[in-house]
Amino acid sequence: MGRALSIFLPTWDVDLLRRKACGSAATGPDRRAWLLSADHARQKRVARCCAIARAAGVHAGMPLAEARAICPARVFAFDADKSRQALELLAKWCLRFSPVVSVDPACSCNDPAVPHHDSPDSLLLDVTGEDHLFGSEHLLLAEITARLHRMGFAARLAVAPTVGAAWALAHYGPHAPAILREAEMHKGLAPLPVAALRISHDQCAALREVSIERIEHLLVLPRESLFARYGRDLLLRLDQAFGRSDEFIEPLRPLDPLTVARVFDGAAIQLEAIFLTVRDLLGQLGRLLLEKESGVRGLRIELVRINAPPVSRELIVGRATRDENHLWKLLHSRIETMHLGYGVEAVRLTAFWTEAVPHRQIGQWETGEGDAHEEAFEAMLDTIIERWGPRRVLAPRAAASHTPEVARGFEPLRHDDAGHLPPEALRLVDRPSLLLERPEPADAVALLPDRPPSYLRWRGEGYTLRSGIGPERIVTAWWGDRRASTRDYFKVESTAGAWLWAFRELESGRWFIHGLWA
């Protein structure tokens, strides 16, 4: 027998939504309950719930109103299509651990009363003969579990000689991660409930009616009677779990990237010949992308050289495009830096990152100026980044911090957004349009400690204030290089109409200006 690994993600959809809302770095404990709801049988029901809600008595399939009465929670709509797409991306990520990875077609919930009960929440891997690559199977399971946890996903893992046994232990085993040897099959599977055999909800209910609740109860019954009463599917699942019937993992087959190439009859030693070839290949690639309704985000050019290793350059653009003129402007300068050696035998262009760009029908009265403007703006950014370098073109980012001076900053425009808050997070609080990099000292006169000041002097200029809003108390982080302080912020308006963001530090009693509204 081989070795199969099952990765069960018990709160996959909730973890996915929490990761999107709070960022991948927000993996700490969250005391709020989360529910995902969907319409089912003309009623809103709980489709998925977190561990906190489950501990309070909420379960999938429960009416949403009843669930909210039991456990106050944040409620979101469940999107089954996005859930499966994200799980397929996670399956591709798991290809680093095994070349045979699949989204598990068997779902942990088979109750038809639960909305989208057929939405997958598990992965299957074939790890036969791979234990020595990671040290041992224990180390392999520990590494996968740790990486998933860092990404914000709870996971239960199990390795067993068969797919059915690994699935059963991951979903219903007493502990995880679990490793089952071939000699321990009966001991490991017998105490598990019959639902661990991946049988239907109706079959589980029919077995419970005659007090057959665990796999060991099935093993002592004659196969003929089981077949006559419950059909062939029950025996098939039983045989698959114990290895008496073959079951294979249907591997995920990533699509090969779009590639166009040109092989020369002889060695090309002139740069102009390379330029002409690349222009022609960009036209061919554009036609292929048009047929597939796709655009390129990542493009690699490779020169196969005589008596020398190949040389390549990669290009990343901000918006999926198949405009060969735009791509040529970005590639031209990169080709000039590539050494041709003793001559080039072949040129290869590979679109290793593509995105869907569907055809759009423009109506008679539509001009499409909005899309054209956005495309032109993205093309301009690509050109600027190519000429100045990615580290010189920056964009503001919101960070997960309540300390104002570190809650936002500037990072490269072409940067992974993981771990950052969405721009909408800045709209939840009233913050000045111009935030000073460091708070600047100021002199202030306030009649009462918890009231806005009536007079401010900042940068040598005096401000008589006529109104103020506050205080808003912010305690800065005590960890890191910064000193913790307790601040009372006020939004104040001067008689000249200027709005300033001032605060008083409670520890020292000093006043500072931290920003202003332009």
Side-chain angles (χ1 to χ4, degrees):
M1 295 185 183
R3 302 294 287 173
L5 168 60
S6 176
I7 302 177
F8 173 42
L9 305 164
T11 54
W12 159 251
D13 299 295
V14 175
D15 292 341
L16 187 67
L17 183 62
R18 182 183 285 117
R19 187 176 188 269
K20 180 180 179 181
C22 303
S24 60
T27 56
D30 190 349
R31 301 303 179 187
R32 298 170 297 177
W34 291 52
L35 301 178
L36 302 184
S37 68
D39 294 330
H40 187 73
R42 298 183 179 181
Q43 187 181 27
K44 282 196 173 296
R45 293 182 176 268
V46 177
R48 302 291 185 269
C49 61
C50 67
I52 299 175
R54 192 179 297 112
V58 179
H59 60 83
M62 176 183 288
L64 181 60
E66 182 180 347
R68 300 185 71 172
I70 295 175
C71 177
R74 300 181 63 181
V75 181
F76 302 88
F78 177 56
D79 192 328
D81 293 335
K82 288 186 177 179
S83 173
R84 183 176 183 88
Q85 292 172 5
L87 192 61
E88 290 176 352
L89 290 177
L90 187 63
K92 294 179 180 179
W93 176 84
C94 287
L95 287 171
R96 67 193 65 198
F97 302 109
S98 171
V100 181
V101 182
S102 172
V103 174
D104 190 354
C107 304
S108 59
C109 178
N110 56 10
D111 188 352
V114 176
H116 302 288
H117 63 276
D118 55 349
S119 183
D121 53 8
S122 306
L123 300 176
L124 294 175
L125 288 76
D126 187 348
V127 293
T128 304
E130 294 186 9
D131 51 344
H132 69 282
L133 299 176
F134 300 91
S136 67
E137 289 183 343
H138 292 87
L139 295 177
L140 172 61
L141 297 185
E143 182 176 353
I144 298 176
T145 303
R147 290 199 181 192
L148 290 175
H149 177 72
R150 286 197 296 268
M151 290 191 291
F153 300 123
R156 289 176 54 90
L157 280 68
V159 174
T162 65
V163 173
W167 193 95
L169 287 174
H171 288 72
Y172 294 93
H175 55 82
I179 296 178
L180 187 64
R181 304 299 176 186
E182 187 173 351
E184 304 169 343
M185 292 284 285
H186 186 277
K187 179 181 178 181
L189 297 179
L192 301 183
V194 293
L197 293 176
R198 300 174 292 171
I199 58 179
S200 67
H201 181 267
D202 294 338
Q203 285 181 321
C204 290
L207 291 171
R208 283 197 300 267
E209 289 179 357
V210 293
S211 299
I212 300 177
E213 297 181 350
R214 296 193 297 274
I215 295 177
E216 59 186 349
H217 297 158
L218 289 173
L219 296 177
V220 299
L221 297 176
R223 292 177 61 88
E224 294 78 7
S225 61
L226 291 176
F227 178 79
R229 185 161 185 173
Y230 301 106
R232 177 178 176 274
D233 290 343
L234 176 61
L235 292 179
L236 176 62
R237 289 302 192 186
L238 193 63
D239 291 340
Q240 287 177 342
F242 284 90
R244 295 189 290 263
S245 179
D246 294 333
E247 183 179 9
F248 302 99
I249 299 176
E250 183 65 28
L252 183 72
R253 303 184 186 279
L255 297 176
D256 294 331
L258 290 178
T259 301
V260 291
R262 174 74 53 80
V263 179
F264 300 117
D265 294 335
I269 59 175
Q270 294 182 344
L271 195 59
E272 289 76 10
I274 306 300
F275 286 160
L276 292 174
T277 303
V278 172
R279 289 298 302 264
D280 188 43
L281 291 178
L282 284 173
Q284 296 181 29
L285 183 62
R287 289 188 288 271
L288 291 176
L289 292 169
L290 182 63
E291 294 175 0
K292 297 182 178 295
E293 297 190 40
S294 301
V296 62
R297 285 288 307 276
L299 184 63
R300 180 187 303 112
I301 178 173
E302 183 179 10
L303 304 183
V304 181
R305 302 182 297 179
I306 296 177
N307 298 327
V311 60
S312 63
R313 296 287 187 274
E314 290 187 355
L315 172 69
I316 304 293
V317 296
R319 180 188 177 98
T321 180
R322 46 179 178 254
D323 184 355
E324 58 181 282
N325 292 326
H326 176 53
L327 294 175
W328 167 247
K329 291 178 182 178
L330 301 177
L331 282 177
H332 183 274
S333 59
R334 302 202 175 199
I335 297 174
E336 291 180 332
T337 65
M338 302 173 71
H339 198 284
L340 303 185
Y342 296 104
V344 176
E345 292 182 318
V347 179
R348 184 181 297 112
L349 290 182
T350 303
F352 62 87
W353 180 6
T354 60
E355 291 181 357
V357 181
H359 300 309
R360 181 173 177 268
Q361 181 68 36
I362 299 179
Q364 181 177 0
W365 307 109
E366 297 180 22
T367 62
E369 293 180 357
D371 291 340
H373 175 74
E374 187 173 350
E375 292 178 4
F377 180 72
E378 290 289 345
M380 180 193 69
L381 290 179
D382 292 335
T383 303
I384 294 176
I385 293 174
E386 181 66 23
R387 293 183 179 180
W388 291 357
R391 290 290 174 181
R392 295 187 177 183
V393 183
L394 308 178
R397 303 282 184 178
S401 175
H402 60 275
T403 305
E405 53 262 42
V406 298
R408 67 178 82 179
F410 287 89
E411 294 184 357
L413 182 64
R414 300 289 185 246
H415 190 276
D416 185 9
D417 290 330
H420 296 278
L421 295 179
E424 291 76 10
L426 297 176
R427 305 173 188 170
L428 301 180
V429 291
D430 187 13
R431 291 293 180 259
S433 54
L434 176 60
L435 186 71
L436 301 179
E437 185 175 353
R438 294 181 180 275
E440 298 183 4
D443 297 323
V445 176
L447 300 180
L448 294 173
D450 59 346
R451 300 294 296 172
S454 57
Y455 180 81
L456 277 173
R457 186 168 185 82
W458 172 54
R459 292 182 176 177
E461 183 177 353
Y463 296 87
T464 302
L465 308 178
R466 63 184 178 187
S467 64
I469 303 172
E472 176 190 355
R473 178 159 295 181
I474 297 178
V475 181
T476 62
W478 55 265
W479 56 89
D481 300 332
R482 300 178 183 272
R483 178 178 60 88
S485 65
T486 304
R487 306 171 179 177
D488 279 348
Y489 279 86
F490 298 90
K491 180 180 180 181
V492 295
E493 182 187 15
S494 70
T495 54
W499 285 92
L500 304 175
W501 203 35
F503 73 85
R504 183 173 68 91
E505 189 178 51
L506 269 61
E507 289 81 1
S508 63
R510 300 172 58 195
W511 284 87
F512 296 85
I513 301 296
H514 205 166
L516 62 154
W517 281 264

